Amino acid sequence: MLHILWLIIKWILILLGILIGLIFLILLLLLFCPIRYRGKIKKDRTDSLRKIHATGEVSWLLHIISAQVFWEQGVLKTKICFLGIPLEKIKNLFRKKKEPRALSNSGNQNAKKQTESSRSHEKTSKSENQNDTAELQMSEPQEDTVEDINEILENVIMEPISISEEISEESEDEKKLRTKIADLILNIVGRIKTAVGKLFRIVQNFLGIPKRILKKIQSLALTIRNFCDKINRWKEFLDHPRTREALSFLWKNAKKLIYHVFPTRITGKITFGNEDPAVTGMVLAVLGMTIPFHKNKIEAAPLFDDENVLEGEILLKGRIYGIVVLKTAAELYFNKNIKYVIHRWRHKEVKHGERE
């Protein structure tokens, strides 16, 4: 027994070691195997900007996993590949294998539906026969109900006759006079109420004008005071030495990360021109400002021929290491000054001198 238990524990430990080794290998690949990208932009000498051809590709682990993007004539297309095979083809292969199984299942379902439909027809025929017998039984007349109906009709006919005799005793002229007098009284009372209400509202509005003016002045004063307080808080927050150190540290790491992510190789040539020579000169000046980024590897050829021209081709390549991104994130997370800034941002009402 002990020997068998020892073998089971041994195999469990071997499997756990293999799983831990695979996880460690995947982490190492994510950190030290770079994500490579490249792109290409091409524009022929045409009037429309839609005829730009652009392609981009992102790959990882020696192109085992890759994603491609194409832009042609205003249409965007994407393609994801595994070992150079698009995922659409892999999905189609799995679908073809599942189709014969689905057909066999559909045949069985049709047979079941036919049997169920035959059973339902039999049930409906039986229920119809039962309903016919019930209707025949209900159609037989009952003598007791006829006598009750005759008594109710006699009572209904005698009641309106007695009511009409009582109403005829009162004269119609007296009713008309009473209704006219009541209408006049109601109209007079309603007009008096409306007039009094209007006067009361006018007086109330006139007396409430100074109160409204005071409220508006107080609200304006409060808004101005709150705005000034916010400006002072932001000024104190930004002028604090720890916030300055945090911002400088953040800017240094951001520059390093941008320099790492920026393409390592850029080449190309651009030919451009405009009807106005001043515009071409301005564009050339702007392109000259980008020389520190591509290190003068993109040739710019301006044309002063009084026509609108734009053509060229640009190629770029780069890579991103996961270890660099993780390192910068860890440095930012464990920096005390950045933690202080985050704490101050969450607790804005606390002053700088209270918690440092």
Side-chain angles (χ1 to χ4, degrees):
M1 289 294 292
L2 292 171
H3 183 67
I4 293 164
L5 288 170
W6 174 246
L7 286 172
I8 292 165
I9 293 164
K10 184 179 177 181
W11 282 107
I12 290 165
L13 291 171
I14 289 164
L15 290 171
L16 286 172
I18 291 165
L19 287 171
I20 292 163
L22 287 171
I23 293 163
F24 186 69
L25 181 63
I26 290 164
L27 288 172
L28 288 174
L29 289 172
L30 287 170
L31 292 173
F32 295 100
C33 187
I35 298 168
R36 299 185 182 276
Y37 65 90
R38 61 181 179 178
K40 182 181 178 182
I41 301 168
K42 188 178 180 181
K43 172 71 170 63
D44 297 326
R45 188 174 284 189
T46 54
D47 294 331
S48 64
L49 291 172
R50 287 188 176 180
K51 293 184 179 180
I52 294 172
H53 301 281
T55 59
E57 185 180 1
V58 179
S59 62
W60 180 67
L61 200 62
L62 300 173
H63 290 272
I64 291 172
I65 299 167
S66 63
Q68 295 177 358
V69 181
F70 304 95
W71 175 270
E72 292 180 356
Q73 295 180 356
V75 179
L76 183 67
K77 296 179 182 179
T78 58
K79 186 170 71 173
I80 299 167
C81 299
F82 180 73
L83 293 172
I85 302 167
L87 289 178
E88 293 178 357
K89 291 184 179 179
I90 297 166
K91 288 179 182 178
N92 291 324
L93 289 171
F94 283 109
R95 286 175 185 173
K96 287 178 181 179
K97 290 180 180 179
K98 290 179 181 178
E99 280 178 358
R101 294 180 182 175
L103 291 170
S104 63
N105 291 324
S106 65
N108 294 323
Q109 288 177 359
N110 289 322
K112 288 179 181 178
K113 285 180 181 178
Q114 288 177 359
T115 55
E116 289 176 357
S117 62
S118 63
R119 290 176 183 174
S120 64
H121 283 301
E122 291 176 358
K123 289 180 181 179
T124 52
S125 62
K126 289 180 182 178
S127 64
E128 286 177 356
N129 293 322
Q130 291 175 0
N131 290 323
D132 292 332
T133 56
E135 287 178 357
L136 290 170
Q137 292 175 0
M138 293 295 290
S139 62
E140 293 179 356
Q142 295 178 0
E143 293 178 355
D144 296 330
T145 56
V146 174
E147 292 177 357
D148 294 332
I149 290 164
N150 290 323
E151 291 178 358
I152 292 162
L153 289 171
E154 288 177 358
N155 292 322
V156 170
I157 291 164
M158 292 299 290
E159 286 178 0
I161 293 165
S162 61
I163 292 164
S164 62
E165 289 177 356
E166 292 176 356
I167 293 167
S168 62
E169 292 177 358
E170 294 180 359
S171 62
E172 293 180 355
D173 295 331
E174 290 178 355
K175 286 183 180 180
K176 289 180 181 179
L177 288 169
R178 288 176 183 176
T179 53
K180 286 181 181 179
I181 291 163
D183 291 332
L184 287 169
I185 291 164
L186 290 171
N187 288 323
I188 291 162
V189 172
R191 289 178 182 178
I192 291 164
K193 284 182 179 179
T194 53
V196 171
K198 286 180 180 179
L199 287 170
F200 184 73
R201 288 174 186 171
I202 290 163
V203 172
Q204 192 175 4
N205 290 323
F206 183 75
L207 293 172
I209 288 167
K211 290 182 180 179
R212 292 175 184 174
I213 292 165
L214 287 170
K215 285 181 180 179
K216 287 182 179 179
I217 292 165
Q218 288 175 357
S219 64
L220 284 170
L222 287 171
T223 52
I224 292 163
R225 192 178 292 170
N226 290 325
F227 185 71
C228 293
D229 291 335
K230 286 181 180 179
I231 290 167
N232 290 324
R233 286 176 187 172
W234 279 105
K235 191 176 179 182
E236 290 177 358
F237 178 68
L238 294 171
D239 289 336
H240 198 270
R242 297 189 71 176
T243 55
R244 288 182 179 178
E245 289 177 0
L247 290 171
S248 64
F249 183 76
L250 182 65
W251 176 242
K252 286 178 183 178
N253 285 314
K255 283 196 292 184
K256 288 178 182 178
L257 190 62
I258 290 164
Y259 182 76
H260 176 71
V261 174
F262 200 76
T264 55
R265 184 181 177 186
I266 301 173
T267 58
K269 185 178 180 180
I270 298 170
T271 304
F272 63 94
N274 195 12
E275 293 178 354
D276 190 0
V279 175
T280 56
M282 290 172 68
V283 173
L284 185 63
V286 172
L287 290 173
M289 294 169 68
T290 61
I291 289 170
F293 295 100
H294 56 81
K295 296 178 182 179
N296 203 13
K297 290 183 180 179
I298 297 174
E299 296 180 3
L303 296 175
F304 297 94
D305 296 334
D306 296 333
E307 62 175 342
N308 293 320
V309 178
L310 179 62
E311 64 174 347
E313 186 177 2
I314 297 170
L315 299 169
L316 55 92
K317 290 182 181 181
R319 80 280 179 275
I320 301 167
Y321 283 93
I323 188 69
V324 176
V325 178
L326 184 66
K327 183 184 174 183
T328 53
E331 287 177 353
L332 292 171
Y333 180 77
F334 289 107
N335 192 8
K336 293 181 180 179
N337 294 320
I338 290 170
K339 284 183 178 180
Y340 170 78
V341 170
I342 293 165
H343 180 76
R344 286 290 303 120
W345 182 263
R346 290 177 180 175
H347 303 86
K348 293 178 183 178
E349 68 274 5
V350 182
K351 292 182 180 180
H352 287 276
E354 293 180 2
R355 291 183 182 178
E356 288 190 358

